[in-house]
Amino acid sequence: MAYKLGLLGLGTVGTGTAQIILDSLGRHPLLQEIEIHRVGVRNLDKPRPVTFSADQLTTDLESIVTDPDIDIVVELLGGLEPARSLILTAISHGKHIVTANKAVISRYGNEIFDAANAKGVYVMLEAAVGGGIPVIQPLKESLGVNRIQSVMGIINGTTNYILTRMQTEGADFADVLADAQRLGYAEADPTADVDGLDAADKIAILASLAFAGRIKLEDVHCEGIRQISAADIAYAEKLGFRIKLLAIAKRQSSTENHAVDRLSIRVHPTLVPKTHPLASINGVYNAILIEGEPLGQVMFYGPGAGSGPTASAVVSDILTIAAILKTETEPIPHPLLSCTHQHYCAIAPMEELVTRFYTRFLTNDTPGVIGNLGTSFGNHGVSLESIVQIGMRDNQAEIVVVTHNVSEGNFLNALAEIRQLDAVISIPSVLRVL
Ligand code: HSE
């Protein structure tokens, strides 16, 4: 039996989602049971990278969310309306929901989840925060037994890209923003990103999962990065900090009543010590650092936006729902938790590994040694990236070589030849270089 999807929106993420589903080879076998039944778009005639039949494509989005054949509605329209109304109508028709829409969830999550609970359907939102980074499911499941102390992260790629360039180029905000817009890294209207609103939506969602309570978006204190200057970044650097737009949700003991914990929830530019794990997250990447008891700290890092990464999160949610639906109708172990394969993977032998090698030789300090080493490496197709003789150790010349990429088999053959050279006393270290 196939699980039928109604896809709302065929933009960047919708296209990425369709591409994963239509190209299932090498992915989880359950994907083969997922079918894109209908696709809602604004314009039927627009040329697209993925083609659908005239029966599948429609501009009538309402007809998708009420279609009795559809099991899961995948909302990838973005924006507040009609996304909110379509999600609510789909729920009232018993559809499960997968969405990437952080704005709708952070503002209307209360009515959406109330409706979903009443109807017994799921609303999944892995793609709403951190693009392709799995963080929603870990918060719900893998980290669920922890008492979470804090969730903090860099969850807006646009501002992190701008701050990273300001830092590396010593440039001012306005210049980098204009260039980022020209290159397509920042929207023509950058307000949601640079004023911290997008990060506020996302931290509200993360905090609500981490601390098991609803968050009113207006309670999230929000400052953006417009006021950050090249001078601030340079002074911060001198003092040992990087400036990052952090979204933070933290359990905070009440000063009046120590028995009551309250949440501090905020988005603002922050001086982060250079040694802190979030200080080295650069460019459009996102990272979320979660601290819990008894786990301690765990950090999730990866691409926070983009067609493929965000679609990966969308389709993982689709798969989760399909697996639940399957176990409801078939007496089988849960397809995502049970072992789905019996065959053994083909493993490449080590001699076929292609890598760089670091090697340290101890040799007699005689003329021609380095030349002989180079000749032996060359005899086996090993090209050298660097070769240095820094000094002597116990009256022996110490020569260090780093190769270019080479097959391990060729490298070992070269080493066997080198071991036979009269001048070579020993080869104390051979290490692979990443
Ligand atoms: N505009 C967001 C960002 C990506 O810059 O991170 C989508 O959530």
Side-chain angles (χ1 to χ4, degrees):
M1 167 175 161
Y3 301 100
K4 293 194 167 69
L5 302 184
L7 196 53
L8 302 177
L10 204 49
T12 314
V13 180
T15 301
T17 298
Q19 283 169 331
I20 294 176
I21 293 168
L22 297 173
D23 173 26
S24 61
L25 194 70
R27 312 187 200 276
H28 196 286
L30 187 55
L31 268 180
Q32 287 156 19
E33 298 181 44
I34 289 166
E35 178 190 309
I36 301 175
H37 187 60
R38 296 184 74 203
V39 183
V41 292
R42 251 183 234 129
N43 177 357
L44 292 176
D45 303 322
K46 191 174 159 186
R48 303 172 199 281
V50 189
T51 45
F52 290 99
S53 68
D55 289 350
Q56 287 171 299
L57 279 185
T58 178
T59 54
D60 181 0
L61 305 185
E62 190 82 13
S63 74
I64 292 184
V65 295
T66 55
D67 184 333
D69 289 337
I70 286 174
D71 304 292
I72 305 169
V73 166
V74 184
E75 185 277 305
L76 301 173
L77 300 167
L80 298 180
E81 287 293 356
R84 169 187 157 273
S85 304
L86 289 166
I87 288 173
L88 288 169
T89 308
I91 291 171
S92 73
H93 283 76
K95 318 292 180 211
H96 300 282
I97 307 292
V98 173
T99 180
N101 196 328
K102 66 233 146 198
V104 157
I105 295 295
S106 67
R107 284 165 187 77
Y108 303 114
N110 53 355
E111 62 174 331
I112 289 172
F113 289 112
D114 284 349
N117 288 345
K119 201 72 189 174
V121 296
Y122 293 104
V123 177
M124 306 288 282
L125 57 139
E126 186 62 70
V129 183
I133 305 172
V135 63
I136 302 291
Q137 191 169 0
L139 271 173
K140 284 184 184 169
E141 297 184 18
S142 331
L143 302 175
V145 300
N146 282 268
R147 199 171 288 130
I148 305 294
Q149 309 297 346
S150 66
V151 177
M152 70 171 81
I154 293 167
I155 49 179
N156 182 267
T158 305
T159 45
N160 203 46
Y161 173 83
I162 292 173
L163 289 172
T164 303
R165 279 196 54 190
M166 286 174 71
Q167 210 230 306
T168 50
E169 295 166 24
D172 264 314
F173 171 78
D175 296 335
V176 178
L177 172 62
D179 202 44
Q181 286 172 313
R182 192 181 57 78
L183 295 168
Y185 285 107
E187 306 272 349
D189 176 2
T191 312
D193 293 315
V194 301
D195 291 331
L197 311 172
D198 172 81
D201 285 342
K202 293 168 176 169
I203 194 66
I205 293 171
L206 292 178
S208 138
L209 290 166
F211 300 105
R214 288 183 174 170
I215 305 283
K216 290 191 200 118
L217 191 57
E218 60 268 27
D219 288 342
V220 181
H221 174 87
C222 184
E223 297 169 29
I225 64 163
R226 285 184 201 266
Q227 79 282 16
I228 304 296
S229 67
D232 297 321
I233 290 186
Y235 277 117
E237 176 75 24
K238 282 203 179 72
L239 295 167
F241 298 98
R242 294 272 150 77
I243 298 184
K244 295 289 182 190
L245 182 69
L246 293 193
I248 303 173
K250 200 169 186 170
R251 217 184 268 281
Q252 187 170 288
S253 300
S254 157
T255 42
E256 291 119 42
N257 178 353
H258 291 281
V260 178
D261 271 352
R262 290 189 297 186
L263 279 188
S264 162
I265 182 160
R266 52 209 158 89
V267 173
H268 50 69
T270 313
L271 271 74
V272 180
K274 282 186 204 167
T275 50
H276 188 280
L278 289 171
S280 54
I281 308 303
N282 288 321
V284 292
Y285 281 89
N286 283 194
I288 300 116
L289 182 69
I290 300 177
E291 187 161 351
E293 181 279 317
L295 173 69
Q297 288 188 337
V298 62
M299 189 158 96
F300 299 85
Y301 167 78
S307 171
T310 311
S312 155
V314 168
V315 182
S316 78
D317 279 347
I318 294 170
L319 218 56
T320 301
I321 295 175
I324 293 168
L325 297 179
K326 202 169 172 65
T327 53
E328 281 173 358
T329 51
E330 294 175 41
I332 53 160
H334 190 291
L336 299 183
L337 303 180
S338 59
C339 176
T340 55
H341 47 258
Q342 285 82 40
H343 73 279
Y344 285 85
C345 292
I347 307 297
M350 281 301 280
E351 61 265 27
E352 285 180 16
L353 174 73
V354 173
T355 181
R356 294 187 292 160
F357 285 92
Y358 156 101
T359 314
R360 184 161 58 91
F361 301 93
L362 290 174
T363 73
N364 293 325
D365 193 21
T366 50
V369 177
I370 287 185
N372 290 341
L373 287 179
T375 305
S376 292
F377 276 128
N379 288 343
H380 297 276
V382 181
S383 160
L384 301 185
E385 185 177 295
S386 61
I387 179 161
V388 287
Q389 179 181 354
I390 291 178
M392 303 291 288
R393 186 185 293 271
D394 303 331
N395 281 333
Q396 296 166 350
E398 192 166 47
I399 300 169
V400 171
V401 163
V402 176
T403 71
H404 284 297
N405 269 337
V406 57
S407 79
E408 182 142 344
N410 282 5
F411 176 80
L412 291 179
N413 288 339
L415 228 48
E417 184 177 314
I418 289 168
R419 276 202 182 89
Q420 306 307 315
L421 297 175
D422 289 341
V424 172
I425 299 162
S426 65
I427 307 177
S429 345
V430 178
L431 300 170
R432 295 174 191 86
V433 181
L434 197 60

